[in-house]
Amino acid sequence: QVQLVESGGGLVQAGGSLRLSCAASGSIFSINAMGWYRQAPGKQRELVAVITSGGSTNYADSVKGRFTISRDNAKNTVNLQMNSLKAEETAVYYCNVRAWTPVLFNGDYWGQGTQVTVSS
């Protein structure tokens, strides 16, 4: 199946920056979209940013102008540059991939999550 490896999470002070990365591997014919979601304790998981196979991007309103999502197609990697981080954005950030695989035309795959802690 699909394996997702996330990296880049950690501790940062408010106003600082982090760069998250997620690499997809496994039995993948093509990737339809890659994105990042986050979930804070006691809250629902929410979309942060997504990029499609055609390069279109979509961001949560709260992160527009501060976060940038990008892809490295050669490495099947999605990156999220997060600038001017706020304390309320402390959460577990999850990589999400929708891919055509031998068993699914549009399978939904998730990474294990990486903790981002923004201190005030």
Side-chain angles (χ1 to χ4, degrees):
Q1 238 183 39
V2 175
Q3 296 83 46
L4 305 178
V5 179
E6 301 150 320
S7 62
L11 176 65
V12 66
Q13 290 189 231
S17 298
L18 284 175
R19 181 179 172 87
L20 304 183
S21 182
C22 174
S25 63
S27 300
I28 301 170
F29 295 142
S30 64
I31 292 177
N32 301 318
M34 304 184 77
W36 289 93
Y37 291 70
R38 65 188 177 194
Q39 187 168 25
K43 294 192 174 184
Q44 290 184 297
R45 188 173 299 185
E46 64 175 353
L47 171 71
V48 178
V50 63
I51 184 166
T52 69
S53 59
S56 298
T57 58
N58 189 35
Y59 297 90
D61 288 341
S62 62
V63 308
K64 288 180 179 177
R66 297 186 297 114
F67 291 11
T68 302
I69 190 168
S70 61
R71 291 182 62 177
D72 184 338
N73 292 331
K75 299 179 180 179
N76 269 355
T77 298
V78 62
N79 302 297
L80 183 69
Q81 179 67 43
M82 305 186 294
N83 297 328
S84 302
L85 281 160
K86 305 173 181 179
E88 57 264 35
E89 292 175 314
T90 293
V92 177
Y93 284 67
Y94 295 91
C95 178
N96 173 253
V97 171
R98 284 180 280 169
W100 178 26
T101 72
V103 295
L104 294 169
F105 292 109
N106 191 31
D108 197 17
Y109 301 94
W110 295 90
Q112 67 179 9
T114 183
Q115 177 70 45
V116 171
T117 302
V118 185
S119 63
S120 58

